[in-house]
Amino acid sequence: MKSIMKSILIFFSRANENYAVGNLKVDNTEVLANRIKKLINCNLFKCEPVKEYSPNYKECVKEALFNKQNNLRPKLKQYLNNIDEYDYIIVAGPIYFGEYPYEIYSLLDNSNLENKIIKPLVTHE
């Protein structure tokens, strides 16, 4: 029996133009992920799409809505191949039309999450 639970925080974060605060070099979700990493000593995995969203906020919104309306799973630059090593998984991302960005689903749909403790976390603006 394991005595220490191994943790990972999986997140999606988009910098560039933001509706509420202008242009960001690092988005809120990534800032929060890095703070949590320091607090609980977990690994981080950023879901990065092969085709990034537009840096323009309005165009990004259109692209995200298209993904949702078509139930798309955008390809990621990298997938998490060792998720079975983790007991505790935090999933973090902004809210895009009432859901996580579909990049998170691209990763989770291809992961065996059986017997994992999963904690959702969302950010907004």
Side-chain angles (χ1 to χ4, degrees):
M1 186 170 149
K2 296 179 187 177
S3 59
I4 298 177
M5 292 179 38
K6 191 169 179 185
S7 303
I8 189 165
L9 193 156
I10 296 168
F11 71 99
F12 174 85
S13 188
R14 178 194 163 272
N16 297 310
E17 187 178 12
N18 181 287
Y19 176 76
V21 294
N23 284 301
L24 300 171
K25 290 183 182 179
V26 179
D27 181 62
N28 300 337
T29 307
E30 189 163 357
V31 169
L32 183 60
N34 282 300
R35 288 184 182 169
I36 291 171
K37 176 182 168 54
K38 290 178 184 175
L39 288 172
I40 67 170
N41 191 29
C42 66
N43 291 333
L44 293 181
F45 183 86
K46 184 175 182 179
C47 296
E48 297 181 88
V50 169
K51 182 183 182 295
E52 295 183 10
Y53 286 103
S54 170
N56 175 279
Y57 177 76
K58 289 182 180 180
E59 288 301 313
C60 172
V61 169
K62 289 178 190 175
E63 294 164 354
L65 182 58
F66 181 82
N67 286 348
K68 179 182 171 69
Q69 289 172 334
N70 294 283
N71 198 29
L72 296 180
R73 300 299 193 258
K75 285 190 175 186
L76 301 178
K77 292 179 182 177
Q78 180 179 341
Y79 289 83
L80 185 60
N81 298 321
N82 63 339
I83 200 159
D84 54 317
E85 294 178 15
Y86 298 96
D87 306 296
Y88 190 85
I89 301 169
I90 302 168
V91 180
I95 295 294
Y96 282 14
F97 302 98
E99 296 184 53
Y100 281 124
Y102 276 59
E103 287 75 7
I104 289 179
Y105 299 131
S106 294
L107 180 73
L108 296 180
D109 285 352
N110 293 299
S111 300
N112 180 359
L113 303 175
E114 191 174 330
N115 298 317
K116 307 291 182 193
I117 298 169
I118 301 172
K119 297 291 184 174
L121 176 83
V122 297
T123 58
H124 188 266
E125 296 181 4

